[in-house]
């Protein structure tokens, strides 16, 4: 077994370390979501935490890690005889992004159930993680139904498996930690809310601290065991402090003044529901226990707000998580005043406990790295320039867009846009399994096995089932698509002051793509060329940022825009052949610049029709006299044209329009 990097050797990242330690003290806080750029020690810190957790007492031989002092009466391996006891280190279980539902919650041995008449259950990762840590790297890439299952288990402290008339329940209480890179896409707001705390991490911009990071990493890589030995004293001190804080936690008093501050803070920041209040109360209590105090102070409430509220105050997916600390201080001062025992009323108290104990996690945010991190979309993105360029205009207010879906039945990644064969959804039939059986169609399996019972010499109560009898249930649900936006940024669009409305429409479609779990890409064309402003990605935030800074002006190289989009689709098809594409061309249909621009655009459009790529043209033409060029373009693409007004879900122009393929 490899030697993990010591938790106390992680340089900086004080907020991250404090949030993890608070959950180690009080798992009821609800876990941690760690957001940040790649290479910021997210996974390193999480994997190192397990070494700081005390050993757990378990019933020997119990696959579900029952506590011998209070075994689970419903444990599938029970009932347990009193007195038997053993111990083992706390586990850290990793949930892979590509895991199946059976791997997460456990699987029933259907073949044994049918042939022997017994309920045979194989525990999953939720059972392995009981009384330990469940770590999900890139949690934003995990399928929604798996996220729902593990968050439900985290909230209820138990896992329920209900399948084919067999019911299994077992305890599953764990510290849930998820890490994610926002550039790869966001979590849905309702899932964000299920994580107790969130932390934003970024690499330090301080040269001395970066030097120390490299120095420690190289020393660890050269001699992991020796490096860990040098930090053994610090690790033991933090481990003892976690144990002491756990023992103190039940006696920590959360007074009415602190509760009033918590309620006022959640109300001031307009968070939805009551989960934020409860999480803040538990976090403030854990902070007091970690600091060795039996009373919750105003500084604990403040720090709890900084950890528990940023991800809960987002009003839409494009809002950056964060908290106005001046407003927070004003609210805390207005409601509750200064608590007894606080030595410095002007100190907001995000640092360590009394006495300045220099333990890891005591001084979150001390280096100010998070504030120094550039916003998404910054960092020298290329901006086109040329004659006739006009400054970017702000997008109009987004609206709820109509559903645009790809026709037919796909087999892409789970999502919410187009019909597809999926692992979850309504059952539509049965087939022979291709590879491992994942969803048994019980009735079809019985029908396949029944005619052969006499030939197989059946003599007992169960069916004699062979592998060839098993049938996989086919289910229909929804898939996510690649929505590729091809946006006209030429002077003909800007001249009529339409770009604000156009950006608002594209922003609305991006919001719809976010909610439907799509990948998005952005191609723009103007002047004499087309640019891939954003390669296909799951981060609609990045697409919105590129759109906001999009300049306009110049001629309209429509053919160049379509050809560049066609090339993007070709490359993406090689990377992800199962994900179907929906091309959204936002233009007034004009084509200017270069020789025969109209004929070139027509030939480029027919490439999409020949490959039966689903497409829709958002017609941006306005004014009393309309040429209908966007409609002609839609015909050549083999798609559909809609106006900006028809794109609204509440438009009186008609019902929801699906994208339809037309004959070339």
């Amino acid at each position: 077994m490899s030697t993990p990097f010591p938790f106390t050797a992680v340089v900086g990242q004080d907020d991250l370390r404090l949030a993890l330690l608070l959950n180690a003290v009080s798992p009821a806080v609800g876990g941690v979501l760690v957001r940040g750029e790649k290479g910021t020690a997210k996974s390193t810190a999480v994997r190192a935490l397990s070494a700081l957790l005390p050993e757990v007492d378990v019933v020997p031989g119990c696959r579900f890690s029952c506590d011998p002092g209070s075994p689970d009466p419903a444990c599938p391996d029970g009932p347990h005889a009193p007195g038997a006891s053993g111990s083992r280190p706390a586990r850290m279980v990793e949930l892979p992004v590509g895991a199946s539902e059976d791997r997460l919650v456990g699987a029933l041995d259907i073949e044994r159930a049918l042939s022997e008449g017994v309920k045979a259950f194989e525990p999953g990762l939720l059972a392995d993680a009981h009384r330990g840590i469940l770590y999900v790297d890139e949690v934003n890439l995990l399928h929604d139904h798996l996220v729902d299952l593990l968050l439900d288990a985290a909230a209820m402290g138990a896992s329920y498996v209900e399948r084919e008339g067999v019911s299994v329940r077992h305890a599953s209480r764990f510290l849930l930690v998820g890490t994610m890179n926002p550039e790869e896409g966001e979590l849905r707001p309702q899932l964000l809310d299920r994580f107790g705390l969130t932390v934003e991490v970024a690499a330090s911009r301080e040269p001395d601290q970066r030097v120390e990071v490299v120095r420690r990493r190289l020393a660890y890589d050269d001699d992991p065991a020796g490096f860990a030995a040098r930090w053994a004293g610090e690790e033991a001190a933090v481990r003892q402090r976690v144990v002491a804080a756990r023992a103190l936690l039940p006696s920590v008093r959360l007074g009415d003044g602190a509760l009033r501050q918590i309620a006022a803070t959640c109300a001031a920041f307009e968070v939805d529901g009551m989960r934020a209040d409860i999480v803040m109360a538990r976090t403030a209590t854990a902070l007091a226990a970690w600091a060795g105090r039996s009373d919750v102070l105003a500084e604990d409430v403040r720090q709890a707000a900084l950890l528990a509220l940023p991800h809960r105050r987002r009003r839409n997916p494009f809002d950056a998580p964060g908290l106005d600390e001046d407003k927070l201080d004003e609210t805390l001062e207005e409601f509750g005043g200064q608590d007894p025992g606080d030595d410095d009323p002007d100190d907001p108290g995000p640092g360590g406990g009394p006495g300045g104990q220099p333990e890891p996690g005591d001084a979150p945010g001390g280096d100010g790295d998070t504030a120094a991190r550039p916003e998404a979309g910054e960092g020298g993105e290329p901006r086109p320039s040329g004659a006739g360029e006009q400054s970017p205009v702000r997008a109009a207010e987004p609206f709820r867009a109509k559903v645009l879906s790809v026709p037919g039945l796909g087999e892409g990644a789970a999502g919410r846009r187009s019909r597809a064969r999926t692992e979850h959804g309504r059952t539509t039939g049965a087939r022979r399994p291709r590879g491992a059986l994942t969803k048994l169609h019980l009735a079809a399996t019985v029908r396949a096995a029944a005619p052969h019972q006499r030939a197989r010499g059946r003599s007992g109560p169960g069916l004699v089932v062979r592998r060839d009898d098993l049938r996989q249930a086919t289910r229909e649900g929804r898939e996510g698509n690649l929505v590729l936006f091809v946006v006209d940024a030429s002077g003909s669009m800007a001249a009529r002051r339409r770009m604000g409305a156009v950006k608002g429409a594209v922003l609305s479609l991006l919001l719809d793509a976010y909610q439907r779990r799509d990948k998005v890409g952005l191609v723009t064309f103007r002047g004499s060329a087309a640019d891939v402003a954003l390669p296909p990605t799951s981060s609609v935030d990045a697409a919105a940022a590129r759109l906001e800074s999009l300049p306009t002006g110049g001629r309209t190289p429509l053919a160049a825009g379509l050809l560049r989009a066609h090339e993007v689709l070709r490359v993406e098809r090689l990377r992800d052949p199962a994900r179907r594409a929906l091309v959204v061309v936002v233009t007034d249909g004009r084509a200017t610049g270069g020789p025969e621009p109209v004929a070139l655009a027509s030939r480029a459009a027919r490439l999409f029709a020949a490959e039966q790529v689903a497409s829709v043209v958002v017609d941006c033409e306005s004014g009393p006299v309309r040429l209908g060029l966007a409609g002609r373009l839609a015909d050549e693409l083999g798609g559909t044209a809609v106006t900006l007004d028809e794109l609204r879900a509440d438009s009186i122009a008609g019902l929801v329009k699906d994208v339809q393929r037309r004959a070339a």
Side-chain angles (χ1 to χ4, degrees):
M1 181 177 178
S2 61
T3 303
F5 192 91
F7 186 85
T8 51
V10 175
V11 179
Q13 308 300 9
D14 299 314
D15 280 353
L16 168 58
R17 293 191 293 163
L18 178 60
L20 292 172
L21 289 169
L22 291 177
N23 275 272
V25 171
S26 175
V29 166
V32 186
L33 175 64
V34 187
R35 297 164 42 92
E37 57 198 23
K38 52 189 175 294
T40 50
K42 299 189 298 292
S43 300
T44 298
V46 175
R47 292 189 174 99
L49 178 66
S50 60
L52 300 179
L53 299 182
E55 288 194 342
V56 294
D57 295 329
V58 296
V59 174
C62 178
R63 297 174 298 167
F64 301 89
S65 301
C66 278
D67 185 347
S70 56
D72 181 8
C75 176
D77 284 356
H80 299 299
S85 178
S87 64
R88 61 163 176 78
R91 292 174 181 159
M92 194 198 73
V93 177
E94 293 194 43
L95 174 61
V97 170
S100 65
E101 182 178 337
D102 289 343
R103 185 72 186 99
L104 177 62
V105 301
L108 296 171
D109 191 335
I110 299 299
E111 191 167 349
R112 284 192 63 194
L114 291 175
S115 60
E116 302 175 25
V118 298
K119 298 179 183 179
F121 179 71
E122 184 66 28
L125 295 177
L126 290 180
D128 293 341
H130 181 43
R131 305 174 69 196
I133 301 172
L134 181 61
Y135 172 47
V136 189
D137 193 14
E138 304 294 352
V139 65
N140 52 322
L141 304 182
L142 198 65
H143 286 177
D144 286 351
H145 68 280
L146 294 182
V147 177
D148 290 336
L149 286 171
L150 70 89
L151 291 180
D152 284 344
M156 295 185 296
S159 175
Y160 295 85
V161 183
E162 306 278 352
R163 292 182 185 172
E164 286 79 35
V166 180
S167 176
V168 175
R169 174 210 170 275
H170 64 83
S172 183
R173 292 183 295 275
F174 48 83
L175 165 55
L176 176 63
V177 183
T179 57
M180 59 175 283
N181 184 346
E183 294 177 358
E184 299 293 336
E186 286 284 357
L187 277 174
R188 290 177 292 152
Q190 58 268 41
L191 298 184
L192 278 172
D193 185 57
R194 297 296 292 273
F195 283 93
L197 309 180
T198 187
V199 179
E200 293 278 339
V201 297
S204 173
R205 301 300 187 254
E206 173 58 44
D208 290 342
Q209 194 171 69
R210 296 175 74 97
V211 167
E212 186 62 22
V213 169
V214 175
R215 182 181 291 119
R216 293 187 187 182
R217 186 69 210 190
L218 292 178
Y220 170 77
D221 291 341
D222 288 341
D223 182 10
F227 184 83
R230 291 195 293 273
W231 290 88
E234 288 82 350
E235 293 282 288
V238 175
R239 189 180 301 110
Q240 292 171 5
R241 191 173 175 188
V242 170
V243 174
R246 282 186 173 185
L248 179 61
L249 186 66
S251 61
V252 174
R253 187 181 67 88
L254 182 65
D256 290 342
L259 278 172
R260 182 174 176 81
Q261 287 182 316
I262 290 170
T265 301
C266 292
F269 286 98
E270 300 180 354
V271 297
D272 296 329
M274 294 299 298
R275 184 175 283 116
D277 303 62
I278 296 171
V279 171
M280 272 191 66
R282 290 171 173 167
T283 305
T285 304
L287 279 162
W290 176 248
R293 288 187 264 101
S294 58
D295 288 297
V296 173
L297 305 183
E299 66 185 53
D300 300 322
V301 176
R302 186 184 193 278
Q303 183 60 55
L306 293 175
L307 293 172
L309 296 188
H311 61 301
R312 292 186 166 91
R313 60 167 299 277
R314 303 179 74 185
R315 311 320 300 174
N316 68 68
F318 304 131
D319 288 342
L323 214 59
D324 185 340
E325 295 193 31
D326 291 337
K327 181 178 179 180
L328 173 60
D329 291 335
E330 292 173 2
T331 304
L332 293 177
E333 184 177 354
E334 179 181 356
F335 294 89
Q338 188 65 32
D339 286 336
D342 193 352
D343 296 332
D344 185 1
D346 295 325
D347 185 359
Q357 301 178 58
E359 297 293 348
D362 279 2
D367 57 17
D369 290 342
T370 301
R373 186 169 71 91
E375 295 296 328
E378 295 180 354
E381 288 297 329
R383 294 187 178 184
S385 59
E389 178 175 311
Q390 303 178 26
S391 60
V393 297
R394 294 186 62 84
E397 190 70 20
F399 50 82
R400 188 166 65 90
K402 285 184 176 180
V403 181
L404 303 173
S405 61
V406 178
L409 195 63
E411 294 183 346
R416 297 185 171 186
R417 182 171 298 278
S418 305
R419 293 174 55 232
R421 298 183 186 92
T422 61
E423 289 294 320
H424 295 268
R426 63 186 182 91
T427 301
T428 58
R431 60 173 174 80
R432 291 181 181 272
R434 302 166 188 164
L437 178 71
T438 56
K439 293 291 181 181
L440 180 81
H441 195 296
L442 184 58
T445 298
V446 171
R447 286 197 300 269
H452 308 292
Q453 296 306 294
R454 181 175 296 178
R456 293 174 182 174
R458 172 185 169 186
S459 59
L463 286 173
V464 179
V465 179
R466 303 279 173 80
R467 173 69 185 176
D468 290 344
D469 300 328
L470 299 179
R471 295 294 181 268
Q472 173 85 24
T474 57
R475 302 192 176 196
E476 182 177 314
R478 294 281 170 176
E479 68 176 359
N481 299 117
L482 166 60
V483 182
L484 182 61
F485 294 94
V486 185
V487 180
D488 184 349
S490 65
S492 67
M493 298 285 287
R496 298 180 178 86
R497 297 186 178 182
R498 286 174 289 164
M499 187 50 68
V502 168
K503 285 187 175 182
V506 177
L507 197 62
S508 304
L509 291 170
L510 282 172
L511 180 60
D512 182 69
Y514 168 84
Q515 294 167 340
R516 300 185 187 282
R517 312 298 290 169
D518 294 317
K519 291 181 71 173
V520 296
L522 179 62
V523 173
T524 63
F525 58 93
R526 68 180 193 89
S528 60
D531 295 313
V532 181
L534 183 71
T537 175
S538 296
S539 176
V540 296
D541 287 1
R546 302 297 194 279
L547 180 71
E548 189 67 25
S549 60
L550 178 66
T552 58
R555 293 183 176 274
T556 312
L558 178 58
L562 294 175
L563 290 173
R564 181 58 63 90
H566 186 268
E567 176 64 16
V568 170
L569 292 183
R570 184 189 69 80
V571 174
E572 192 65 19
R573 203 175 292 125
L574 296 174
R575 294 174 178 167
D576 191 357
R579 188 181 291 267
R580 298 186 295 165
L582 171 62
V583 177
V584 179
V585 185
V586 185
T587 182
D588 57 7
R590 296 174 182 268
T592 61
E596 300 182 345
V598 177
L600 284 175
S602 177
R603 287 200 292 271
R606 286 197 289 270
L607 291 175
F608 291 85
E611 296 177 3
Q612 295 187 317
V613 177
S615 59
V616 60
V617 177
V618 179
D619 185 357
C620 301
E621 192 174 26
S622 62
V625 179
R626 303 198 179 196
L627 302 178
L629 299 177
R632 296 180 201 169
L633 176 62
D635 289 339
E636 291 170 334
L637 286 168
T640 301
V642 296
T643 65
L644 288 175
D645 289 338
E646 292 172 338
L647 198 60
R648 294 178 176 269
D650 54 359
S651 170
I652 61 174
L655 300 175
V656 173
K657 291 187 176 181
D658 285 343
V659 179
Q660 299 176 346
R661 293 194 183 104
R662 299 180 180 180

